[in-house]
């Protein structure tokens, strides 16, 4: 992986995925207030739910958001620290006009971000996000009169209602009967107060680490194998049947097998898909252009279609909604269970994978082994945000696509062959270009990645 | 009037209309500036119960935390309670969110330093320099401050006030008091304090919800309801608070609003009685304070108008009491801040120990009438307008400490000065009777208006 230079890793990212920056540098209280007023102007007046993850800066960001929203006449309801999917469910189930999640997801502790969701609990789509940005840049915010300002309300039950919805969607009796020991690493994030208790409530024996929301992240809060050494050790030490790792805000999930292996976050969608299609949920599988081909094989086995969307939660969610998906998700470990809602949800993913283990009565390592075997290579190349799309355009003009059966330009460039693919795209959250390749053979995936990374680096 | 801005950023803080000029951006910017000015530390925040207070509080918290300051939120409380808390908690500064006696649409920030006293003119200018410079301290995520509460601030303040007076004497008098808290910050605590001092209390407008049933300025035209209730209950007196608990005015047992100038006169009469040292009052304060000085052989020193100006003079001369004619009483034995709870305690103690009624006490002063007028005036015209007035009264005895104060041979005076908080000129005159005072005022208003029109 290429290392990002210091000044490249810290710019402000104002994109359709929200506004993200480094606290103490780019993410200033004034900007937070302005964005909250822009959002209040855009969706309000009405109720707006606000949640946050556990990062220390949330304590600073939160009052800025409340103040900005209140000033536009919105009625703020604070859900406190809770998983983002719980916020999304609460927005969907209530009369709220929208929600703001204060979280930088899997990014490290110095980052924070605002993620904006609309009244159905799905993040703003690009058109809506553009409208919000126009409101932000125009700076002509709704200014409510003094007697139209609402006090900040509280709702401490959103997370519990979210867990209830997940419990209703899985076979708790089967899980209880399997008597599984589950290790869980909450990275001291938003799931800390909820995930271990939830596992106990469905009859698992739980060993939890990093479940103190007051403490800093013990490792990068991204549930990729390189961050799972603690969890792997815990699984081994506790003799657990499976280990799960949440990210900071409860959308992505990583897995550790009972043998202490971390097979990679692509397996999360594979196992969740196997579970949902296995129990017969209707509808195609929706996943993004960068996600493993193993999903296609699993869907084919169950006689289902796969719909590929752009990368990013909103694209996956909107496609899932449009196509009436049975399950949807991304190779980064974020899975959507449409019977619950259209949010990527690590606790729901965990529950469904445990459900699969119970149903199949097989160890997780074997379920992993049964998943079609591909090798996926993920690279990133630093690129100034103002150059990123030009680089991709230049790459498109000179790219060698002779080997590919299909070229998809929905989100960057994706070339698909019979047994391999490459996807080059601009990250929405960081100043980088991603190159992802996959093939049956590891060497082939790496060679492909090397070739395209060289080409992108040259253009950058 | 349309050309006059509703935002006032000045030495006494930042004041504006919510929904117009007082935006969360502005508040966040000032919070960052104050945090930068203090260079970290703990900031106490208190607020009056205006509905806009919470929006402003949140913007302040966000801005202060980002500069590395921690916040102790003392919640809805009188401004003097916040000032006491700064000292009690050893904090590095404080902010009061209150537009005091201004109508509900207004709100404001008032900044105070680690001794619980508002920033003086020079400090306020330094803060403004930081604000305008815009280069605020920004701490990284692991050096941000935290937010805490303090439930005990009001009780500590009340205990101090109680301990400062002879509650025994007040209890044995057991006066019947009507208190009108205008649904402001003083609502719960004033009633509690009066009861603890042994008064029979009838409270009106006593829900601290910021929905003001009358204009919150405690001046006679706003106190009709209170006067009626005093008469109805045959009470010994009535007290009217403003929205944030710094100013007070008194209603006599006859149900007459005797005017806010008597508040300091009574309170100073009590403070000067057993204490050795000067009294400080601002230039616009009634000459009754001079009578108090003569009675107790205390020197009376006049300062510029504004709480901090009075306080700084009090500190400099080691005054035994001070305040302003607008009903703001400062008892330095408690704290150098305007405090209407302290004022109530002093006045009740005076009645109890002297055995006088409000009416008798009132008549112990030379009869006088004070007339207060205001005139909208763009900032650019104030200086020339006041110069015109000076020219008009050339040859008379004058005090030029702030604006112009003219003394007449019959003991009356006229004071014209720009307001610290509003785009207006204030014109005040005191004479033996209202007609004379009004005549002085009208004469001055004519001269000022003419000059304002001429220079516009």
């Amino acid at each position: 992986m290429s290392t990002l230079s210091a000044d490249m890793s810290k710019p402000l990212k104002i994109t359709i995925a929200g506004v993200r920056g480094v606290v103490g540098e780019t993410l200033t209280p004034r900007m937070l207030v302005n964005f909250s007023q822009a959002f209040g102007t855009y969706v309000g007046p009405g109720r707006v739910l606000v949640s946050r993850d556990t990062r220390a800066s949330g304590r600073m960001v939160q009052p800025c958001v409340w103040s900005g929203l209140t000033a536009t006449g919105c009625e703020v309801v604070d859900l406190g620290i809770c998983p983002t999917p719980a916020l999304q469910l609460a927005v969907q189930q209530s009369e709220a006009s929208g929600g703001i999640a204060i979280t930088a997801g899997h990014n490290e502790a110095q980052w924070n971000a605002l993620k904006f969701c609309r009244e159905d609990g799905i993040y703003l789509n690009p058109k809506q996000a553009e409208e919000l940005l126009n409101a932000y840049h125009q700076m002509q915010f709704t200014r409510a009169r003094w007697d139209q300002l609402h006090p900040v309300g509280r709702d401490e039950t959103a997370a519990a209602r979210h867990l209830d919805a997940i419990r209703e969607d899985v076979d708790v009796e089967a899980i209880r009967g399997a008597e599984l020991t589950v290790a869980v690493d909450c990275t001291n994030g938003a799931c800390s107060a909820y995930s271990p208790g939830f596992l106990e409530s469905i009859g698992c024996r739980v060993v939890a680490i990093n479940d103190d929301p007051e403490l800093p992240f013990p490792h990068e809060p991204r549930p990729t194998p390189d961050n799972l050494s603690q969890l792997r050790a815990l699984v081994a030490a506790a003799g657990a049947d499976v280990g799960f790792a949440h990210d900071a805000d409860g959308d992505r999930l990583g897995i550790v097998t009972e043998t202490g292996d971390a097979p990679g976050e692509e397996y999360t969608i594979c196992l969740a898909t196997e579970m949902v299609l296995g129990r017969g949920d209707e509808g195609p599988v929706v996943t993004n252009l960068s996600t493993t081909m193993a999903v296609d094989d699993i869907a084919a086995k169950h006689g289902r279609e796969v719909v590929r969307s752009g990368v990013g939660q909103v694209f996956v969610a909107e496609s899932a909604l449009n196509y009436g998906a049975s399950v949807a998700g991304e190779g980064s470990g974020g899975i959507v269970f449409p019977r619950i809602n259209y949010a990527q949800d690590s606790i729901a993913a965990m529950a469904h994978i445990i459900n699969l283990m119970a149903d199949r009565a097989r160890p997780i390592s074997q379920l992993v082994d049964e998943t079609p075997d591909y090798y996926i290579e993920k690279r990133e190349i630093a690129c100034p945000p103002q150059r990123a799309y030009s680089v991709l355009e230049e790459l498109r003009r000179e790219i060698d696509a002779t080997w590919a059966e299909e070229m998809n330009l929905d989100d960057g460039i994706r070339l698909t062959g019979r047994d391999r693919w490459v996807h080059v795209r601009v990250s929405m959250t960081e100043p980088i270009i991603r190159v992802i390749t996959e093939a049956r053979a590891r060497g082939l995936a790496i060679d492909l990645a090397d070739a395209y990374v060289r080409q992108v680096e040259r253009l950058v | 009037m349309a050309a006059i801005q509703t935002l006032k950023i000045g030495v006494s803080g930042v004041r504006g209309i919510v929904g117009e000029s007082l935006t969360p951006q502005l508040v966040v910017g000032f919070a960052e500036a104050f945090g930068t000015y203090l260079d970290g530390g703990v900031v106490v925040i208190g607020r009056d119960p205006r509905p806009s207070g919470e929006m402003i509080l949140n913007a302040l918290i966000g801005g202060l935390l980002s500069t590395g300051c921690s916040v102790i939120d003392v919640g809805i409380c009188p401004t003097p309670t916040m000032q006491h808390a700064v000292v009690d908690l050893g904090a590095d500064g404080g902010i009061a969110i209150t537009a005091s006696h201004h109508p509900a649409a207004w709100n404001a920030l008032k900044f105070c330093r680690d001794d619980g006293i508002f920033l003086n003119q020079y400090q306020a200018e330094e803060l403004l320099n930081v604000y305008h410079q815009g280069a605020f301290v920004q701490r990284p995520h692991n050096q941000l401050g935290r937010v805490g509460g303090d439930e005990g601030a009001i009780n500590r303040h009340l205990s101090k006030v109680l301990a400062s007076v002879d509650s025994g004497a007040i209890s044995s008098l057991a006066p019947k008091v009507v208190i009108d808290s205008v649904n402001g910050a003083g609502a719960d605590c004033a009633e509690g304090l009066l009861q603890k001092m042994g008064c029979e209390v009838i409270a009106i407008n006593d829900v601290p919800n910021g929905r003001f049933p009358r204009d919150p300025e405690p001046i006679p035209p706003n106190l009709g309801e209170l006067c009626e209730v005093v008469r109805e209950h045959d009470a010994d007196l009535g007290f009217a608070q403003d929205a944030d608990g710094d100013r007070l005015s008194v209603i006599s047992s006859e149900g007459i609003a005797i005017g806010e100038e008597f508040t300091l006169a009574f309170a100073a009469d009590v403070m000067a009685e057993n204490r050795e040292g000067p009294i400080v009052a601002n230039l616009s304060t009634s000459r009754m304070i001079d009578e108090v000085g003569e009675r107790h052989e205390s020197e009376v020193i006049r300062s510029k108008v504004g709480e901090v100006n009075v306080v700084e003079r009090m500190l400099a001369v080691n005054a035994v009491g001070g305040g302003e004619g607008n009903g703001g009483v400062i008892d330095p034995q408690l704290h150098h801040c305007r405090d209407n709870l302290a004022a109530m305690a002093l006045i009740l103690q005076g009645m109890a120990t002297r055995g006088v009624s409000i009416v008798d006490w009132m008549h112990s002063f030379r009869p006088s009438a004070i007339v207060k007028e205001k005139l909208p005036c763009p900032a650019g015209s104030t200086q020339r307008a006041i110069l015109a007035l000076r020219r008009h009264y050339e040859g008379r005895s004058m005090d030029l400490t702030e604006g112009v104060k003219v003394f007449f041979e019959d003991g009356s005076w006229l004071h014209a000065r720009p307001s610290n908080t509003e785009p207006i000129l204030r014109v005040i005159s005191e004479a033996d009777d209202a007609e004379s005072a009004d005549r002085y005022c009208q004469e001055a208003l004519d001269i000022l208006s003419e000059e304002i029109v001429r220079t516009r």
Side-chain angles (χ1 to χ4, degrees), chain B residues 150-157:
Chain B
D150 174 18
E151 304 286 309
I154 289 177
N155 279 335
R156 287 197 309 270
H157 179 197

Side-chain angles (χ1 to χ4, degrees), chain A residues 84 87-89 91-92 117-123 341-343:
Chain A
T84 304
L87 168 85
Q88 294 176 267
L89 185 65
V91 170
Q92 184 199 337
C117 67
R118 52 196 210 199
E119 60 190 4
D120 63 0
I122 295 177
Y123 291 132
N341 70 343
Y342 288 89

